[in-house]
Amino acid sequence: MIKAAFFDIDGTLISFNTHLIPDSTINAIKKLRQQGTKIFIATGRPLSLISLPKDIIIDGIITLNGAFCISSDKKVIYKTSIPKEDINTIIRYQKETEHFPCQFTTQDNTAINFINQQVIDLCKLINVPVPQIKPLEDIAQKDILQINIYVDKQKEEELQKTVSTHCEASRWNPHFADVNVKGIDKSTGIKHILEYYQINLEETISFGDGGNDIPMLKYTHIGVAMGNASDEVKQAASYITDTVDNEGIAKALKYFSLIR
């Protein structure tokens, strides 16, 4: 029996084409929860950028790729922040070496140092507001749970070796990467959720489409890659379903006889 289902948001629940959750997905998740399965969100988004239809009732949320996890009644289950050493190093790098869009996210807020076309395009892709521009030094006084860097893969790897040495990056877009503390990802978020709700790993299923979903898909008992996922993500999954726009979630839940 599956007692816990974990869903990524962008490209999994929400279509990149329509910016909506398909009716088939909403109905499938409602049926799944009615049968006693707990429903969880597992996303790279901050809590402030998560908005779901009232028809989807959730039992908890993994945000910022596992750095901040809460229950449905807003109780903090897990929270971890990026070391101040890495925060100060990336601010210094921006001043002395290279200036690129860099976004800091706290538990409650997010800010970016400047905006270029890559930032605008990314926000359009996932249908969220462009972040507020602020000096990184200002928001760095608070606990930073995630950094977002608008750079390519080569620059990301360079920064991990020289700047964010206590962190690691995950990527679902060629121009953008999430940066979290080493060892923190969606699978560690799931681990804390399962401990809190006393659910066994063998009773889990997850759905995802991006590179930051790979740890989750490998970790849960059943890992379902969406049809719109990259080949790398599909290789990490135990099952590949249809696309988000073509009833992928509903089809997978029916395939595993979790709903009718």
Side-chain angles (χ1 to χ4, degrees):
M1 180 180 177
I2 296 298
K3 294 184 179 179
F6 298 86
F7 297 92
D8 170 54
I9 293 181
D10 299 299
T12 301
L13 285 180
I14 296 179
S15 165
F16 286 126
N17 298 316
T18 66
H19 303 303
L20 299 172
I21 302 178
D23 289 341
S24 65
T25 297
I26 294 174
N27 293 332
I29 292 175
K30 285 172 65 177
K31 289 180 182 178
L32 188 62
R33 195 170 191 277
Q34 287 168 359
Q35 294 169 190
T37 300
K38 291 189 180 299
I39 305 299
F40 300 98
I41 299 300
T43 180
R45 290 191 184 207
L47 190 61
S48 60
L49 294 181
I50 298 174
S51 178
L52 299 173
K54 293 181 180 179
D55 287 341
I56 295 183
I57 300 174
I58 58 174
D59 297 280
I61 307 176
I62 296 167
T63 74
L64 303 173
N65 295 310
F68 186 55
C69 308
I70 62 171
S71 64
S72 58
D73 58 0
K74 308 300 182 184
K75 180 178 179 180
V76 177
I77 296 172
Y78 180 76
K79 174 183 175 181
T80 187
S81 56
I82 293 174
K84 292 296 184 183
E85 178 183 344
D86 282 21
I87 298 296
N88 294 334
T89 302
I90 198 166
I91 291 175
R92 186 165 59 249
Y93 182 92
Q94 288 269 338
K95 290 181 176 179
E96 300 176 357
T97 306
E98 184 176 355
H99 198 44
F100 55 84
C102 183
Q103 186 171 322
F104 284 0
T105 299
T106 68
Q107 178 177 326
D108 306 307
N109 198 10
T110 185
I112 195 167
N113 55 347
F114 79 97
I115 293 168
N116 63 8
Q117 192 60 46
Q118 288 180 322
V119 178
I120 295 170
D121 291 345
L122 193 283
C123 291
K124 285 182 178 179
L125 179 65
I126 60 175
N127 195 34
V128 299
V130 175
Q132 184 177 5
I133 297 176
K134 285 185 178 180
L136 295 180
E137 295 89 339
D138 291 354
I139 195 169
Q141 305 306 313
K142 300 181 180 180
D143 289 337
I144 305 301
L145 308 188
Q146 181 170 280
I147 299 172
N148 303 114
I149 50 176
Y150 293 80
V151 298
D152 60 20
K153 181 68 174 177
Q154 182 177 352
K155 175 57 67 173
E156 168 206 314
E157 293 174 351
E158 175 190 328
L159 292 172
Q160 282 193 245
K161 293 176 182 178
T162 60
V163 179
S164 304
T165 56
H166 299 94
C167 298
E168 56 191 357
S170 57
R171 181 178 290 267
W172 56 269
N173 183 281
H175 307 296
F176 169 90
D178 299 325
V179 178
N180 297 95
V181 176
K182 280 184 179 178
I184 298 300
D185 54 43
K186 291 187 180 183
S187 72
T188 57
I190 290 174
K191 179 177 181 291
H192 291 293
I193 290 284
L194 297 182
E195 289 175 353
Y196 181 80
Y197 286 95
Q198 298 184 327
I199 298 172
N200 295 323
L201 185 59
E202 293 74 20
E203 300 169 321
T204 60
I205 187 172
S206 64
F207 293 78
D209 74 298
N212 58 343
D213 295 316
I214 289 176
M216 171 174 75
L217 298 179
K218 288 182 175 181
Y219 184 68
T220 52
H221 181 61
I222 301 172
V224 180
M226 305 301 292
N228 44 276
S230 67
D231 289 341
E232 182 184 14
V233 175
K234 290 176 179 177
Q235 290 170 5
S238 50
Y239 180 74
I240 301 168
T241 188
D242 213 327
T243 65
V244 58
D245 293 299
N246 202 26
E247 303 187 1
I249 287 177
K251 288 178 178 178
L253 292 175
K254 290 176 182 177
Y255 174 83
F256 288 105
S257 300
L258 298 178
I259 63 171
R260 293 183 178 180

